[in-house]
């Protein structure tokens, strides 16, 4: 009798422990699923209902585009393989090491504008307008529009009035995300002609964690206005770290071997038309500049 009670007690303990572990696993999985949905969902404009369309209904099958896409990606794959053997950018390693200047973006045709995207506060219900086109004689890029700081009446948005121009992510074969390696240079070179407004130059690098996806390195660009061009040199050591428009206390250097995008932002709260004409964007290695980082690195209290 005692033996049967002991066996029954052990069996009941075993089943209770197994049930508890299953409940813990279920709770952990449900918590992880809800958390992943919370941080991976896309932005939804305030006042609009969520898009519940199934993903399979958004697929557009096109045989001709599929064949063209296969040719494109295999062409990119061939280019990457050849670069591995010849050197970065189809140049020898000696040229890569001794290079002092490099032009990254020029604006000489409509194909050059396809590497850039523009956006404004219209994405959150604002009224700013922004455009991008080739300048006079098709030799420059003209980024222009109208800034409007009127806040949309949706009950959620509190600030408005910005316009942005940003380069697209470099993509490799089969839509692999790549990055630029600018570790041989220490200065960003811009040849621009503005309208006297202050602009923000943004540089983004590759991040490893999801909470760093909004991190940007910024520096202010003050344009003179008028008919004259400006040759601007901005050392990378002068760029400061911000996240969602807020300067961070914990500053650290920009990773020059993992650059992803470069952009320009206008948000000076002055309503009216604006324009920024860009001739080229490049890099240079200024041997006279020896500064590593221009800002203090604060340490948190333990």
């Amino acid at each position: 009798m005692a033996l049967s009670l002991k066996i029954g007690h052990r069996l009941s303990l075993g089943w209770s422990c197994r049930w508890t572990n299953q409940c813990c696993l279920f709770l952990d999985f449900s918590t992880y699923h809800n958390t992943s949905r919370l941080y991976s969902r896309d932005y939804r404009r305030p006042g609009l209902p969520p898009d519940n369309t199934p993903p399979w209904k958004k697929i557009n099958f096109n045989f001709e585009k599929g064949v063209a896409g296969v040719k494109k990606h295999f062409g990119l794959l061939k280019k990457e393989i050849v670069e591995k053997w010849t050197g970065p950018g189809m140049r020898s390693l000696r040229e890569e090491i001794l290079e002092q200047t490099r032009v990254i973006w020029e604006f000489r045709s409509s194909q050059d504008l396809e590497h850039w995207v523009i956006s404004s506060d219209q994405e959150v219900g604002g009224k700013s307008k922004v455009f991008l086109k080739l300048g006079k004689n098709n030799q420059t890029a003209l980024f222009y529009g109208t800034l409007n700081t009127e806040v949309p009446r949706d009950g959620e948005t509190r600030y408005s009035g910005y316009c942005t121009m940003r380069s697209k992510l470099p993509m490799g074969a089969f839509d692999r995300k790549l990055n630029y390696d600018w570790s041989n240079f220490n200065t960003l070179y811009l040849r621009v002609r503005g309208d006297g407004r202050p602009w923000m130059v943004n540089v983004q690098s590759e991040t490893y964690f999801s909470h760093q996806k909004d991190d940007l390195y910024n520096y202010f660009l003050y344009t003179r206005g008028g008919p004259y061009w400006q040759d601007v040199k901005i050392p990378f050591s002068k760029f400061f770290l911000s996240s969602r428009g807020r300067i961070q206390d914990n500053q650290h250097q920009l990773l020059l071997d993992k650059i992803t995008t470069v952009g320009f932002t206008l948000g000076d709260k002055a309503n009216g038309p604006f324009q920024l004409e860009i001739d080229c964007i490049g890099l240079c290695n200024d041997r006279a500049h020896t500064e590593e980082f221009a800002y203090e690195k604060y340490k948190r209290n333990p």
Side-chain angles (χ1 to χ4, degrees):
M1 183 69 178
L3 181 62
S4 62
L5 290 175
K6 187 181 292 184
I7 293 174
H9 180 64
R10 289 182 179 178
L11 289 176
S12 62
L13 285 177
W15 279 108
S16 62
C17 293
R18 186 179 302 175
W19 182 84
T20 306
N21 292 336
Q22 289 179 355
C23 287
C24 291
L25 289 174
F26 176 75
L27 290 175
D28 291 342
F29 176 76
S30 61
T31 305
Y32 170 77
H33 181 65
N34 294 334
T35 306
S36 62
R37 288 185 59 188
L38 176 64
Y39 290 102
S40 63
R41 62 185 179 183
D42 295 332
Y43 173 79
R44 179 175 58 86
R45 190 168 129 186
L48 293 181
D51 185 10
N52 297 323
T53 306
W56 57 271
K57 287 188 177 181
K58 300 180 181 180
I59 300 176
N60 184 16
F61 294 97
N62 193 315
F63 182 76
E64 295 181 357
K65 290 185 178 180
V67 173
V70 170
K71 291 182 179 180
K72 171 187 173 182
H73 290 297
F74 274 101
L76 293 174
L77 181 61
K78 178 182 177 181
K79 180 180 177 181
E80 292 178 8
I81 295 175
V82 173
E83 282 188 357
K84 292 293 183 181
W85 290 96
T86 58
M90 299 293 184
R91 294 167 298 183
S92 64
L93 185 60
R94 178 182 178 86
E95 294 178 358
E96 180 73 14
I97 295 176
L98 299 178
E99 188 179 22
Q100 298 297 314
T101 60
R102 181 189 300 177
V103 177
I104 305 299
W105 290 285
E106 286 183 314
F107 303 95
R108 304 294 183 262
S109 63
S110 58
Q111 287 76 16
D112 297 331
L113 299 181
E114 295 177 358
H115 300 288
W116 295 79
V117 293
I118 57 176
S119 62
S120 66
D121 52 32
Q122 288 185 351
E123 298 179 356
V124 295
K127 297 183 179 181
S128 298
K129 297 181 180 179
V130 60
F131 307 95
L132 180 64
K133 69 175 184 179
L134 288 176
K136 192 175 181 180
N137 299 327
N138 296 337
Q139 296 295 314
T140 58
L142 184 60
F143 180 53
Y144 67 101
T146 305
L147 191 70
N148 193 330
T149 59
E150 182 179 350
V151 179
R153 300 179 181 179
D154 53 18
E156 297 183 25
T157 307
R158 294 186 297 171
Y159 305 100
S160 183
Y162 72 89
C163 296
T164 302
M165 171 183 176
R166 189 177 69 173
S167 62
K168 293 182 180 180
L169 286 172
M171 306 297 290
F174 305 105
D175 291 335
R176 293 182 298 107
K177 295 182 180 180
L178 304 178
N179 49 56
Y180 300 105
D181 186 0
W182 295 349
S183 55
N184 291 340
F185 308 94
N186 60 4
T187 305
L188 180 67
Y189 173 80
L190 306 172
R191 190 168 190 268
V192 297
R193 181 164 59 181
D195 53 0
R197 285 177 177 247
W199 291 76
M200 183 78 78
V201 182
N202 310 314
V203 179
Q204 189 175 24
S205 62
E206 183 180 353
T207 57
Y208 297 97
F209 304 101
S210 60
H211 66 274
Q212 295 177 322
K213 64 179 181 178
D214 297 319
D215 289 359
L216 279 177
Y217 286 86
N218 314 105
Y219 191 79
F220 289 101
L221 170 65
Y222 296 95
T223 58
R224 289 195 300 259
Y228 301 105
W229 288 91
Q230 287 182 251
D231 293 324
V232 183
K233 293 183 178 179
I234 307 175
F236 288 116
S237 62
K238 302 293 185 182
F239 283 86
F240 55 89
L241 177 63
S242 67
S243 178
R244 296 187 179 182
R246 295 178 175 87
I247 301 176
Q248 302 298 297
D249 291 335
N250 189 12
Q251 294 285 328
H252 51 83
Q253 293 175 258
L254 175 63
L255 300 177
L256 294 178
D257 59 337
K258 299 184 182 298
I259 302 297
T260 55
T261 62
V262 175
F264 303 89
T265 301
L266 177 66
D268 58 354
K269 299 181 181 181
N271 294 332
F274 68 88
Q275 69 174 21
L276 179 68
E277 194 171 0
I278 307 173
D279 181 19
C280 63
I281 302 173
L283 307 169
C284 62
N285 189 8
D286 188 0
R287 297 297 179 88
H289 183 77
T290 59
E291 183 182 54
E292 294 184 1
F293 196 58
Y295 309 101
E296 296 182 3
K297 300 179 181 179
Y298 297 99
K299 294 183 179 180
R300 298 179 179 177
N301 294 328

